[in-house]
Amino acid sequence: MSISTMRPQDTARTERSGDSAKPAAMESHILRGVRVSLDAQLGNASLAVEELMALKAGSIVTLQTGLADPVGIFLNDTLIARGEIVAVGDKYAVRILEVASPP
């Protein structure tokens, strides 16, 4: 197996502005077909190790989230929206209530 070193100028187009080179802006149409994975976080719970070890089939873990509280929607561990759990046919779904503001 061989490893080759690539310089940034070998992998990205650049635009010249005066004497400095800038990376070309990526056009949004390139990304439109890319699939991403979203996670909806229903809630969380805090358990002592003893309680965790006592869990078995049929055990109920109470979440800190209330029934009316929105769920978080995450992309790569980053909160991007909040929504409510709904049913679509025999599947769970999330109705978007608000989209997070960019940082």
Coordinates of all heavy atoms in Angstrom, one line a residue:
M1 N 0.8 -1.2 0.0 CA 0.0 0.0 0.0 C 0.9 1.2 0.0 O 1.9 1.3 0.7 CB -0.9 0.0 1.2 CG -1.7 1.2 1.4 SD -3.1 1.1 2.4 CE -2.5 1.2 4.0
S2 N 0.5 2.2 -0.8 CA 1.3 3.4 -0.9 C 0.5 4.6 -0.5 O -0.7 4.6 -0.7 CB 1.9 3.6 -2.2 OG 0.9 3.9 -3.2
I3 N 1.1 5.6 0.1 CA 0.4 6.8 0.5 C 1.0 7.9 -0.3 O 2.2 8.1 -0.3 CB 0.5 7.1 2.0 CG1 -0.1 5.9 2.7 CG2 -0.1 8.4 2.4 CD1 0.1 6.0 4.2
S4 N 0.2 8.7 -1.0 CA 0.7 9.9 -1.7 C 0.2 11.1 -1.0 O -0.9 11.2 -0.4 CB 0.3 9.8 -3.2 OG -1.1 9.9 -3.2
T5 N 1.0 12.2 -1.1 CA 0.6 13.4 -0.5 C 0.0 14.3 -1.6 O 0.6 14.5 -2.6 CB 1.9 14.1 0.1 OG1 2.5 13.2 1.0 CG2 1.5 15.4 0.8
M6 N -1.1 14.9 -1.3 CA -1.8 15.8 -2.2 C -1.8 17.2 -1.6 O -2.1 17.4 -0.4 CB -3.2 15.4 -2.5 CG -3.2 14.0 -3.2 SD -4.9 13.6 -3.6 CE -5.2 14.6 -5.0
R7 N -1.4 18.2 -2.4 CA -1.5 19.6 -1.9 C -2.9 20.1 -2.1 O -3.5 19.7 -3.1 CB -0.4 20.4 -2.6 CG 1.0 19.9 -2.4 CD 2.0 20.7 -3.2 NE 1.6 20.9 -4.6 CZ 2.3 20.3 -5.6 NH1 3.3 19.5 -5.3 NH2 1.9 20.4 -6.8
P8 N -3.3 21.1 -1.3 CA -4.6 21.7 -1.5 C -4.9 22.2 -3.0 O -5.9 22.0 -3.5 CB -4.7 22.8 -0.5 CG -3.7 22.4 0.5 CD -2.6 21.6 -0.2
Q9 N -3.8 22.7 -3.6 CA -4.0 23.2 -4.9 C -4.3 22.1 -5.9 O -4.8 22.3 -7.0 CB -2.9 24.1 -5.4 CG -1.5 23.4 -5.5 CD -0.7 23.6 -4.2 OE1 -1.3 23.7 -3.1 NE2 0.6 23.5 -4.3
D10 N -3.9 20.8 -5.6 CA -4.2 19.7 -6.4 C -5.6 19.2 -6.4 O -6.1 18.5 -7.3 CB -3.3 18.5 -6.1 CG -1.8 18.8 -6.3 OD1 -1.5 19.6 -7.1 OD2 -1.0 18.1 -5.6
T11 N -6.3 19.5 -5.2 CA -7.6 18.9 -5.0 C -8.8 19.9 -5.2 O -9.9 19.5 -5.3 CB -7.7 18.3 -3.6 OG1 -7.5 19.3 -2.7 CG2 -6.7 17.2 -3.4
A12 N -8.5 21.2 -5.1 CA -9.6 22.2 -5.2 C -9.3 23.2 -6.3 O -8.2 23.6 -6.4 CB -9.8 22.8 -3.9
R13 N -10.4 23.6 -7.0 CA -10.2 24.7 -7.9 C -10.0 26.0 -7.1 O -10.5 26.1 -6.0 CB -11.4 24.9 -8.8 CG -11.7 23.7 -9.7 CD -12.9 24.0 -10.5 NE -14.0 24.5 -9.7 CZ -15.1 25.0 -10.2 NH1 -15.3 25.1 -11.5 NH2 -16.0 25.5 -9.4
T14 N -9.3 26.9 -7.7 CA -9.1 28.2 -7.0 C -9.4 29.3 -8.0 O -9.4 29.1 -9.2 CB -7.6 28.3 -6.5 OG1 -6.7 28.2 -7.6 CG2 -7.3 27.3 -5.5
E15 N -9.8 30.4 -7.4 CA -10.0 31.6 -8.1 C -8.9 32.6 -7.7 O -8.6 32.7 -6.6 CB -11.4 32.2 -7.8 CG -12.5 31.3 -8.3 CD -13.9 31.8 -7.8 OE1 -13.9 32.9 -7.2 OE2 -14.9 31.2 -8.1
R16 N -8.4 33.3 -8.7 CA -7.3 34.2 -8.4 C -7.9 35.6 -8.2 O -8.7 36.1 -9.0 CB -6.3 34.3 -9.5 CG -5.6 32.9 -9.7 CD -4.2 33.1 -9.2 NE -3.5 31.8 -9.3 CZ -2.8 31.3 -8.3 NH1 -2.6 32.0 -7.2 NH2 -2.2 30.2 -8.4
S17 N -7.6 36.3 -7.2 CA -8.0 37.6 -6.9 C -6.7 38.4 -6.6 O -6.2 38.3 -5.4 CB -9.0 37.7 -5.8 OG -9.3 39.0 -5.5
G18 N -6.1 39.1 -7.5 CA -4.9 39.8 -7.2 C -3.8 38.7 -7.1 O -3.7 37.9 -7.9
D19 N -3.0 38.7 -6.0 CA -2.0 37.8 -5.8 C -2.4 36.6 -5.0 O -1.6 35.6 -4.8 CB -0.7 38.5 -5.2 CG -0.1 39.4 -6.1 OD1 -0.1 39.2 -7.4 OD2 0.4 40.4 -5.6
S20 N -3.6 36.6 -4.3 CA -4.0 35.6 -3.4 C -4.9 34.6 -4.1 O -5.8 35.0 -4.9 CB -4.6 36.1 -2.2 OG -5.8 36.8 -2.5
A21 N -4.8 33.3 -3.8 CA -5.7 32.3 -4.3 C -6.8 32.0 -3.3 O -6.5 31.8 -2.1 CB -4.9 31.1 -4.7
K22 N -8.0 31.9 -3.7 CA -9.2 31.6 -2.8 C -9.8 30.3 -3.4 O -10.0 30.1 -4.6 CB -10.2 32.7 -2.9 CG -9.7 34.0 -2.3 CD -10.9 35.0 -2.4 CE -10.4 36.4 -2.2 NZ -11.5 37.3 -2.4
P23 N -10.3 29.4 -2.5 CA -11.0 28.2 -2.9 C -12.3 28.7 -3.6 O -13.0 29.6 -3.2 CB -11.3 27.4 -1.6 CG -10.5 28.1 -0.6 CD -10.1 29.4 -1.0
A24 N -12.7 28.0 -4.7 CA -13.9 28.3 -5.3 C -15.1 27.9 -4.4 O -15.1 26.9 -3.7 CB -14.0 27.5 -6.7
A25 N -16.2 28.7 -4.4 CA -17.3 28.4 -3.6 C -18.0 27.2 -4.1 O -18.2 27.0 -5.3 CB -18.3 29.6 -3.6
M26 N -18.4 26.3 -3.2 CA -19.1 25.1 -3.6 C -20.5 25.4 -3.9 O -21.2 26.1 -3.2 CB -19.1 24.0 -2.5 CG -19.7 22.7 -2.9 SD -19.6 21.4 -1.7 CE -17.9 21.1 -1.8
E27 N -21.0 25.0 -5.1 CA -22.3 25.4 -5.5 C -23.3 24.4 -4.8 O -23.1 23.2 -4.7 CB -22.4 25.3 -7.0 CG -21.4 26.2 -7.6 CD -21.8 26.8 -9.0 OE1 -23.0 26.7 -9.3 OE2 -20.9 27.3 -9.6
S28 N -24.5 25.0 -4.4 CA -25.4 24.2 -3.6 C -26.0 23.0 -4.4 O -26.4 22.0 -3.8 CB -26.6 25.0 -3.1 OG -27.3 25.6 -4.2
H29 N -26.1 23.1 -5.7 CA -26.6 22.0 -6.5 C -25.8 20.7 -6.4 O -26.3 19.6 -6.5 CB -26.8 22.3 -8.0 CG -25.6 22.5 -8.8 ND1 -24.8 23.6 -8.8 CD2 -25.0 21.6 -9.6 CE1 -23.8 23.4 -9.6 NE2 -23.8 22.2 -10.0
I30 N -24.5 20.8 -6.1 CA -23.6 19.7 -5.9 C -24.1 18.9 -4.7 O -24.0 17.6 -4.7 CB -22.2 20.1 -5.7 CG1 -21.7 20.7 -7.0 CG2 -21.3 18.9 -5.3 CD1 -20.3 21.4 -6.9
L31 N -24.6 19.5 -3.6 CA -24.9 18.9 -2.4 C -26.4 18.4 -2.3 O -26.7 17.6 -1.5 CB -24.7 19.8 -1.2 CG -23.2 20.3 -1.0 CD1 -23.2 21.3 0.1 CD2 -22.4 19.1 -0.7
R32 N -27.2 18.8 -3.2 CA -28.7 18.5 -3.1 C -29.0 17.0 -3.1 O -29.9 16.6 -2.4 CB -29.4 19.2 -4.3 CG -29.5 20.7 -4.2 CD -30.4 21.3 -5.2 NE -30.3 22.7 -5.2 CZ -30.9 23.5 -4.3 NH1 -31.7 23.0 -3.4 NH2 -30.8 24.8 -4.4
G33 N -28.2 16.2 -3.7 CA -28.5 14.8 -3.8 C -27.8 14.0 -2.6 O -28.0 12.8 -2.5
V34 N -27.0 14.7 -1.8 CA -26.3 14.0 -0.7 C -27.3 13.6 0.4 O -28.1 14.5 0.8 CB -25.2 14.9 -0.2 CG1 -24.5 14.2 1.1 CG2 -24.2 15.2 -1.2
R35 N -27.3 12.4 0.9 CA -28.2 12.0 1.9 C -27.5 12.2 3.3 O -26.3 11.9 3.4 CB -28.6 10.5 1.7 CG -29.3 10.4 0.4 CD -30.1 9.1 0.3 NE -31.0 8.8 1.4 CZ -32.3 9.3 1.4 NH1 -32.8 10.1 0.5 NH2 -33.1 8.9 2.4
V36 N -28.2 12.6 4.3 CA -27.7 12.8 5.6 C -28.6 12.0 6.6 O -29.7 11.7 6.2 CB -27.6 14.3 6.0 CG1 -26.7 15.0 5.1 CG2 -29.0 14.9 6.0
S37 N -28.2 11.8 7.8 CA -29.0 11.1 8.8 C -29.3 12.0 9.9 O -28.5 12.7 10.5 CB -28.1 9.9 9.3 OG -28.9 9.2 10.3
L38 N -30.6 12.1 10.2 CA -31.1 12.9 11.3 C -31.5 12.0 12.5 O -32.0 10.9 12.2 CB -32.4 13.7 10.9 CG -32.2 14.7 9.8 CD1 -33.5 15.4 9.4 CD2 -31.2 15.7 10.1
D39 N -31.3 12.5 13.7 CA -31.7 11.8 14.9 C -32.7 12.6 15.6 O -32.5 13.8 15.8 CB -30.5 11.5 15.8 CG -29.6 10.5 15.2 OD1 -30.0 9.5 14.7 OD2 -28.4 10.8 15.1
A40 N -33.8 12.0 16.1 CA -34.8 12.7 16.9 C -34.6 12.2 18.3 O -34.7 11.0 18.6 CB -36.2 12.4 16.4
Q41 N -34.3 13.1 19.2 CA -34.1 12.7 20.6 C -35.3 12.9 21.4 O -35.8 14.0 21.7 CB -32.9 13.5 21.2 CG -32.6 13.0 22.6 CD -31.4 13.8 23.2 OE1 -31.2 15.0 22.9 NE2 -30.7 13.2 24.1
L42 N -35.9 11.8 21.9 CA -37.2 11.8 22.6 C -37.0 12.4 24.0 O -37.8 13.1 24.5 CB -37.8 10.4 22.7 CG -39.1 10.3 23.3 CD1 -40.2 11.1 22.7 CD2 -39.5 8.8 23.3
G43 N -35.9 12.0 24.6 CA -35.7 12.5 26.0 C -34.5 11.8 26.6 O -33.8 11.0 25.9
N44 N -34.3 12.0 27.9 CA -33.2 11.3 28.6 C -33.6 11.0 30.0 O -34.6 11.5 30.5 CB -31.9 12.1 28.5 CG -32.1 13.5 29.1 OD1 -32.8 13.7 30.0 ND2 -31.4 14.5 28.5
A45 N -32.8 10.1 30.6 CA -33.0 9.7 32.0 C -31.7 9.6 32.7 O -30.7 9.3 32.1 CB -33.8 8.4 32.0
S46 N -31.7 9.8 34.0 CA -30.5 9.7 34.8 C -30.8 8.5 35.8 O -31.8 8.5 36.5 CB -30.3 11.0 35.6 OG -29.1 10.8 36.4
L47 N -29.9 7.5 35.7 CA -30.1 6.3 36.5 C -28.8 6.0 37.3 O -27.7 6.3 36.8 CB -30.3 5.1 35.7 CG -31.6 5.1 34.8 CD1 -31.5 3.8 33.9 CD2 -32.8 5.1 35.6
A48 N -28.9 5.5 38.5 CA -27.8 5.0 39.2 C -27.4 3.7 38.6 O -28.2 3.0 38.0 CB -28.2 4.8 40.7
V49 N -26.1 3.3 38.7 CA -25.6 2.1 38.1 C -26.4 0.9 38.6 O -26.8 0.0 37.9 CB -24.1 1.9 38.4 CG1 -23.6 0.6 37.9 CG2 -23.3 3.0 37.7
E50 N -26.8 0.9 39.9 CA -27.6 -0.1 40.5 C -28.9 -0.3 39.8 O -29.4 -1.4 39.4 CB -27.8 0.1 42.0 CG -28.6 -0.9 42.7 CD -28.8 -0.6 44.1 OE1 -28.4 0.4 44.6 OE2 -29.4 -1.5 44.8
E51 N -29.6 0.9 39.5 CA -30.8 0.9 38.7 C -30.7 0.4 37.3 O -31.5 -0.4 36.8 CB -31.5 2.3 38.7 CG -31.9 2.8 40.0 CD -32.2 4.3 40.0 OE1 -31.4 5.1 39.5 OE2 -33.3 4.6 40.5
L52 N -29.6 0.8 36.7 CA -29.3 0.3 35.3 C -29.1 -1.2 35.3 O -29.6 -1.9 34.4 CB -28.0 1.0 34.8 CG -27.5 0.7 33.4 CD1 -28.5 1.1 32.4 CD2 -26.1 1.3 33.2
M53 N -28.3 -1.7 36.2 CA -28.1 -3.2 36.2 C -29.3 -4.0 36.5 O -29.4 -5.1 36.2 CB -27.0 -3.5 37.3 CG -25.6 -2.9 36.8 SD -24.3 -3.1 38.1 CE -24.2 -4.8 38.1
A54 N -30.4 -3.3 37.2 CA -31.6 -4.0 37.5 C -32.6 -4.0 36.3 O -33.6 -4.7 36.4 CB -32.2 -3.4 38.7
L55 N -32.3 -3.4 35.2 CA -33.2 -3.3 34.1 C -33.4 -4.7 33.5 O -32.4 -5.4 33.3 CB -32.8 -2.3 33.0 CG -32.8 -0.8 33.4 CD1 -32.2 0.0 32.3 CD2 -34.2 -0.4 33.8
K56 N -34.6 -5.0 33.1 CA -34.9 -6.3 32.4 C -36.1 -6.0 31.5 O -36.7 -4.9 31.5 CB -35.2 -7.3 33.4 CG -36.4 -7.1 34.3 CD -36.6 -8.1 35.4 CE -37.8 -7.9 36.2 NZ -37.7 -6.9 37.3
A57 N -36.4 -7.0 30.7 CA -37.6 -6.8 29.8 C -38.8 -6.5 30.6 O -39.1 -7.1 31.6 CB -37.8 -8.1 29.0
G58 N -39.5 -5.5 30.2 CA -40.7 -5.0 30.9 C -40.4 -3.9 31.8 O -41.4 -3.2 32.3
S59 N -39.2 -3.6 32.1 CA -38.9 -2.4 33.0 C -39.3 -1.1 32.2 O -39.2 -1.1 31.0 CB -37.3 -2.3 33.2 OG -36.9 -3.4 34.0
I60 N -39.6 -0.1 33.0 CA -40.0 1.2 32.4 C -39.0 2.2 33.0 O -38.8 2.3 34.2 CB -41.4 1.6 32.8 CG1 -42.4 0.6 32.2 CG2 -41.8 3.0 32.4 CD1 -43.9 0.8 32.6
V61 N -38.4 2.9 32.0 CA -37.5 4.0 32.4 C -38.3 5.3 32.1 O -38.7 5.6 30.9 CB -36.2 4.0 31.5 CG1 -35.3 5.1 31.8 CG2 -35.5 2.6 31.8
T62 N -38.5 6.1 33.1 CA -39.2 7.4 33.0 C -38.2 8.5 32.5 O -37.1 8.7 33.1 CB -39.8 7.8 34.3 OG1 -40.7 6.8 34.7 CG2 -40.6 9.1 34.1
L63 N -38.6 9.1 31.4 CA -37.7 10.2 30.8 C -38.0 11.5 31.5 O -39.1 11.7 32.0 CB -38.0 10.3 29.3 CG -37.7 9.0 28.5 CD1 -38.1 9.2 27.0 CD2 -36.3 8.5 28.7
Q64 N -37.1 12.4 31.5 CA -37.2 13.7 32.0 C -38.1 14.6 31.2 O -38.5 15.7 31.6 CB -35.9 14.3 32.3 CG -35.1 13.6 33.4 CD -33.7 14.1 33.5 OE1 -33.2 14.9 32.8 NE2 -33.0 13.6 34.5
T65 N -38.3 14.2 29.9 CA -39.1 15.0 29.0 C -40.6 14.8 29.2 O -41.0 13.6 29.4 CB -38.7 14.6 27.5 OG1 -37.3 14.7 27.4 CG2 -39.4 15.5 26.5
G66 N -41.4 15.8 29.2 CA -42.8 15.7 29.4 C -43.5 15.3 28.0 O -42.9 15.5 27.0
L67 N -44.7 14.8 28.1 CA -45.4 14.4 26.9 C -45.6 15.6 25.9 O -45.6 15.4 24.7 CB -46.8 13.8 27.2 CG -46.7 12.5 27.9 CD1 -48.1 12.1 28.4 CD2 -46.1 11.4 27.1
A68 N -45.8 16.8 26.4 CA -46.0 17.9 25.5 C -44.7 18.6 25.1 O -44.8 19.6 24.3 CB -46.9 18.9 26.2
D69 N -43.6 18.2 25.6 CA -42.3 18.9 25.3 C -41.9 18.5 23.9 O -42.0 17.4 23.5 CB -41.2 18.5 26.3 CG -41.4 19.0 27.7 OD1 -42.2 20.0 27.8 OD2 -40.8 18.5 28.7
P70 N -41.3 19.5 23.2 CA -40.8 19.1 21.8 C -39.5 18.2 21.9 O -38.8 18.2 22.9 CB -40.4 20.5 21.2 CG -40.2 21.4 22.4 CD -41.1 20.9 23.5
V71 N -39.3 17.5 20.9 CA -38.2 16.6 20.7 C -37.1 17.3 19.9 O -37.4 18.2 19.1 CB -38.5 15.2 20.1 CG1 -39.5 14.5 20.9 CG2 -39.0 15.4 18.7
G72 N -35.9 17.1 20.2 CA -34.8 17.7 19.5 C -34.4 16.9 18.2 O -34.5 15.6 18.3
I73 N -34.2 17.5 17.1 CA -33.8 16.9 15.9 C -32.3 17.3 15.6 O -32.0 18.5 15.6 CB -34.7 17.3 14.7 CG1 -36.1 17.0 15.1 CG2 -34.3 16.7 13.4 CD1 -37.1 17.6 14.2
F74 N -31.5 16.3 15.5 CA -30.0 16.5 15.4 C -29.4 16.0 14.1 O -29.9 15.0 13.6 CB -29.3 15.7 16.6 CG -29.7 16.3 17.9 CD1 -30.8 15.9 18.6 CD2 -28.8 17.2 18.5 CE1 -31.1 16.4 19.8 CE2 -29.1 17.7 19.8 CZ -30.3 17.3 20.4
L75 N -28.5 16.7 13.6 CA -27.7 16.3 12.5 C -26.2 16.3 13.0 O -25.7 17.3 13.4 CB -27.8 17.3 11.3 CG -26.9 17.1 10.1 CD1 -27.2 15.8 9.4 CD2 -27.0 18.3 9.2
N76 N -25.6 15.1 13.0 CA -24.2 15.0 13.5 C -24.1 15.6 14.9 O -23.2 16.4 15.1 CB -23.2 15.6 12.5 CG -23.1 14.9 11.2 OD1 -23.4 13.7 11.2 ND2 -22.7 15.5 10.2
D77 N -25.0 15.3 15.8 CA -24.9 15.8 17.2 C -25.1 17.3 17.3 O -24.9 17.8 18.4 CB -23.6 15.3 17.9 CG -23.5 13.8 18.0 OD1 -24.5 13.2 18.2 OD2 -22.3 13.3 17.8
T78 N -25.6 17.9 16.3 CA -25.9 19.4 16.3 C -27.4 19.6 16.2 O -28.0 19.1 15.3 CB -25.2 20.1 15.2 OG1 -23.8 19.9 15.3 CG2 -25.5 21.6 15.2
L79 N -28.0 20.3 17.2 CA -29.4 20.5 17.2 C -29.7 21.4 16.0 O -29.2 22.5 15.9 CB -29.8 21.2 18.5 CG -31.3 21.6 18.6 CD1 -32.2 20.3 18.7 CD2 -31.5 22.4 19.8
I80 N -30.6 21.0 15.2 CA -31.0 21.8 14.0 C -32.5 22.2 14.0 O -32.9 23.1 13.3 CB -30.7 21.1 12.7 CG1 -31.4 19.8 12.5 CG2 -29.2 20.9 12.5 CD1 -31.5 19.3 11.1
A81 N -33.3 21.5 14.8 CA -34.7 21.8 14.9 C -35.3 21.2 16.1 O -34.7 20.3 16.8 CB -35.4 21.3 13.6
R82 N -36.6 21.6 16.4 CA -37.4 20.9 17.4 C -38.7 20.6 16.8 O -39.2 21.3 15.9 CB -37.6 21.9 18.6 CG -36.3 22.2 19.4 CD -36.6 22.8 20.7 NE -35.4 23.3 21.3 CZ -34.6 22.5 22.0 NH1 -34.8 21.2 22.1 NH2 -33.5 23.0 22.6
G83 N -39.3 19.5 17.3 CA -40.6 19.1 16.7 C -41.4 18.3 17.7 O -41.0 18.1 18.8
E84 N -42.6 17.8 17.2 CA -43.4 17.0 18.0 C -43.6 15.6 17.3 O -43.6 15.5 16.1 CB -44.8 17.6 18.2 CG -45.6 17.9 17.0 CD -46.9 18.6 17.2 OE1 -47.3 18.8 18.4 OE2 -47.5 19.0 16.2
I85 N -43.7 14.6 18.1 CA -43.9 13.2 17.6 C -45.3 13.1 17.1 O -46.3 13.4 17.8 CB -43.6 12.2 18.7 CG1 -42.2 12.3 19.2 CG2 -43.9 10.8 18.2 CD1 -41.1 12.0 18.2
V86 N -45.4 12.6 15.9 CA -46.7 12.3 15.3 C -46.7 10.9 14.7 O -45.6 10.3 14.5 CB -47.1 13.3 14.2 CG1 -47.3 14.7 14.8 CG2 -46.1 13.4 13.1
A87 N -47.8 10.4 14.3 CA -47.8 9.1 13.6 C -48.2 9.3 12.1 O -49.1 10.1 11.8 CB -48.9 8.2 14.2
V88 N -47.5 8.6 11.2 CA -47.8 8.6 9.8 C -47.9 7.2 9.4 O -46.9 6.4 9.3 CB -46.6 9.3 9.0 CG1 -46.9 9.2 7.5 CG2 -46.5 10.8 9.4
G89 N -49.2 6.7 9.2 CA -49.4 5.3 9.0 C -49.0 4.5 10.2 O -49.4 4.9 11.4
D90 N -48.2 3.5 10.1 CA -47.7 2.8 11.2 C -46.3 3.1 11.6 O -45.6 2.4 12.3 CB -47.8 1.3 10.9 CG -46.9 0.8 9.8 OD1 -46.4 1.7 9.0 OD2 -46.7 -0.4 9.6
K91 N -45.8 4.4 11.2 CA -44.5 4.8 11.6 C -44.5 6.1 12.4 O -45.5 6.9 12.4 CB -43.7 5.2 10.3 CG -43.6 4.1 9.3 CD -42.4 3.2 9.6 CE -42.3 2.2 8.4 NZ -41.3 1.2 8.7
Y92 N -43.5 6.3 13.3 CA -43.4 7.5 14.0 C -42.8 8.6 13.0 O -42.1 8.2 12.1 CB -42.4 7.4 15.1 CG -42.9 6.6 16.3 CD1 -42.4 5.3 16.6 CD2 -43.9 7.1 17.1 CE1 -42.8 4.6 17.6 CE2 -44.4 6.3 18.2 CZ -43.8 5.1 18.4 OH -44.3 4.4 19.5
A93 N -43.2 9.8 13.2 CA -42.6 10.9 12.4 C -42.5 12.1 13.4 O -42.9 12.1 14.5 CB -43.5 11.2 11.3
V94 N -41.8 13.2 12.9 CA -41.7 14.4 13.6 C -42.2 15.6 12.8 O -41.7 15.8 11.7 CB -40.2 14.6 14.0 CG1 -40.0 15.9 14.8 CG2 -39.6 13.4 14.8
R95 N -43.1 16.3 13.4 CA -43.6 17.6 12.7 C -42.7 18.7 13.2 O -42.5 18.9 14.4 CB -45.0 17.8 13.1 CG -45.5 19.2 12.5 CD -47.0 19.5 12.9 NE -47.9 18.5 12.3 CZ -48.7 17.7 13.0 NH1 -48.8 17.8 14.3 NH2 -49.5 16.9 12.4
I96 N -42.0 19.4 12.3 CA -41.1 20.4 12.7 C -41.9 21.6 13.3 O -42.8 22.1 12.6 CB -40.3 20.9 11.5 CG1 -39.5 19.7 10.8 CG2 -39.3 22.0 11.9 CD1 -38.5 19.1 11.7
L97 N -41.5 22.1 14.5 CA -42.1 23.2 15.1 C -41.3 24.5 14.9 O -41.8 25.6 14.8 CB -42.4 22.9 16.6 CG -43.3 21.8 16.9 CD1 -43.3 21.5 18.4 CD2 -44.7 22.0 16.4
E98 N -40.0 24.3 15.0 CA -39.0 25.4 14.9 C -37.7 24.9 14.4 O -37.3 23.8 14.6 CB -38.9 26.2 16.2 CG -38.2 25.3 17.3 CD -38.1 26.1 18.6 OE1 -37.8 27.3 18.5 OE2 -38.2 25.5 19.6
V99 N -37.0 25.7 13.6 CA -35.7 25.4 13.1 C -34.7 26.3 13.8 O -34.9 27.5 14.1 CB -35.6 25.7 11.5 CG1 -34.2 25.5 11.0 CG2 -36.6 24.9 10.8
A100 N -33.6 25.7 14.2 CA -32.6 26.4 15.0 C -31.9 27.5 14.2 O -31.8 27.3 13.0 CB -31.6 25.4 15.5
S101 N -31.6 28.6 14.9 CA -30.9 29.6 14.2 C -29.4 29.2 14.0 O -28.8 28.5 14.9 CB -30.9 30.9 15.1 OG -32.2 31.3 15.3
P102 N -28.8 29.6 12.9 CA -27.4 29.3 12.7 C -26.5 30.0 13.8 O -26.9 31.0 14.3 CB -27.1 29.9 11.3 CG -28.3 30.5 10.8 CD -29.4 30.4 11.8
P103 N -25.4 29.3 14.1 CA -24.6 29.9 15.2 C -23.9 31.2 14.8 O -23.8 31.6 13.7 CB -23.5 28.8 15.4 CG -23.6 27.9 14.3 CD -24.9 28.1 13.6

